Amino acid sequence: MATLSIVATPIGNLEDITLRAIRVLKEADIVLCEDTRVTKHLLDKYDIATPTMRYDAHSTPTQQERIFSLLDEGKHVALVSDAGTPGISDPGTHLVGLVRKRLGEEVTIEAIPGPSALTAALSISGLSLASFIFLGFLPQKKGRQTLFTEIARSERAVVLYESPHRIIKTLETFAEMMPERTVAIGRELTKIHEEFVSGSADELLAYFIAHPDKVRGEFVVIVGGL
Ligand code: SAM
């Protein structure tokens, strides 16, 4: 029976990979990657010679058909994203949905769990997180303001992914709409310049304005609950 393995990979530090993930990536017939160049660093580090193929949000129906054919032939296909757990704010979910719909019970879809920026940030936040809401990336225009209003009203903590281009603007909005809330930011987690800062949105804004060199890299933002 064909297998589609959804394999979590490191979010920065290449040592953050499970033994099972390494074995599955070695055993698979092909590794589908968001960006083959990014994944090559990881495969090279662990001497994994499995062929790779690009699969991302822009993959065409023809490319999807090629993946379905491989699964039809009973092949073992592994899917990774550039970082973390496929499907968490990246194209992974789309393929899993397509395969479930198209091939249903003919394919075993298995999770090879591991790192995610979401869980890494939550684990070191120290905030009260009995439950939380994960929004992923906020839309850039339409709907963004509505979500800010929802965050301001949310009794639960809210987690989102943010880009360095928008982090200052987002903090300005938080400072305006929810000045009393604790905001925590995990930046470049597991990487050389990893940092974690928390405080009011105003305090974080002041921090990043004073340190423009830190307005780069990858950010997870947590807004504490009410
Ligand atoms: N699938 C990934 C996961 O499981 O975390 C997330 C993919 S999403 C396309 C990329 C976003 O995740 C980045 O823009 C950033 O917000 C967050 N992210 C990824 N790696 C990170 C890291 N090392 N530190 C902080 N945030 C990170």
Side-chain angles (χ1 to χ4, degrees):
M1 189 156 168
T3 303
L4 175 62
S5 304
I6 310 302
V7 184
T9 57
I11 58 167
N13 188 322
L14 292 186
E15 289 180 6
D16 294 332
I17 185 162
T18 68
L19 297 174
R20 186 171 173 222
I22 294 170
R23 177 177 58 75
V24 166
L25 291 173
K26 280 189 174 158
E27 285 174 2
D29 294 299
I30 191 154
V31 181
L32 304 180
C33 316
E34 212 179 329
D35 183 335
T36 50
R37 290 160 304 180
V38 171
T39 302
K40 194 171 177 333
H41 291 297
L42 179 71
L43 299 187
D44 285 352
K45 179 169 172 73
Y46 292 102
D47 295 324
I48 299 168
T50 310
T52 58
M53 187 172 120
R54 190 173 182 114
Y55 177 81
D56 65 14
H58 310 290
S59 290
T60 61
T62 314
Q63 288 164 320
Q64 284 164 4
E65 284 304 322
R66 166 102 183 96
I67 297 166
F68 294 145
S69 306
L70 289 168
L71 291 167
D72 267 337
E73 290 163 22
K75 295 278 198 268
H76 182 180
V77 176
L79 171 77
V80 300
S81 54
D82 281 352
T85 300
I88 307 297
S89 297
D90 60 37
T93 326
H94 188 57
L95 181 68
V96 174
L98 289 175
V99 170
R100 278 205 188 283
K101 202 163 157 196
R102 172 80 177 260
L103 298 169
E105 287 163 16
E106 293 157 49
V107 178
T108 300
I109 302 179
E110 63 176 14
I112 312 295
S116 174
L118 168 65
T119 48
L122 288 174
S123 72
I124 57 169
S125 75
L127 294 170
S128 174
L129 294 164
S131 66
F132 63 87
I133 295 169
F134 176 57
L135 295 179
F137 291 104
L138 299 182
Q140 287 182 33
K141 291 197 180 94
K142 198 161 178 279
R144 193 172 172 89
Q145 199 53 38
T146 312
L147 281 171
F148 281 136
T149 307
E150 278 181 31
I151 296 169
R153 289 184 188 150
S154 174
E155 291 193 4
R156 296 191 170 91
V158 177
V159 190
L160 48 112
Y161 288 162
E162 192 49 287
S163 85
H165 314 293
R166 279 183 295 275
I167 190 74
I168 295 287
K169 269 237 147 292
T170 298
L171 287 173
E172 282 171 354
T173 309
F174 286 172
E176 219 171 89
M177 295 180 68
M178 48 200 110
E180 76 297 350
R181 305 281 283 271
T182 300
V183 180
I185 293 186
R187 185 177 79 87
E188 294 290 84
L189 297 172
T190 78
K191 303 184 193 175
I192 295 169
H193 299 294
E194 162 167 8
E195 71 172 336
F196 190 87
V197 284
S198 69
S200 68
D202 254 335
E203 286 167 343
L204 294 189
L205 204 47
Y207 173 78
F208 282 109
I209 288 170
H211 301 91
D213 55 312
K214 292 178 186 284
V215 188
R216 62 171 66 139
E218 301 193 281
F219 294 79
V220 181
V221 180
I222 306 174
V223 181
L226 277 176

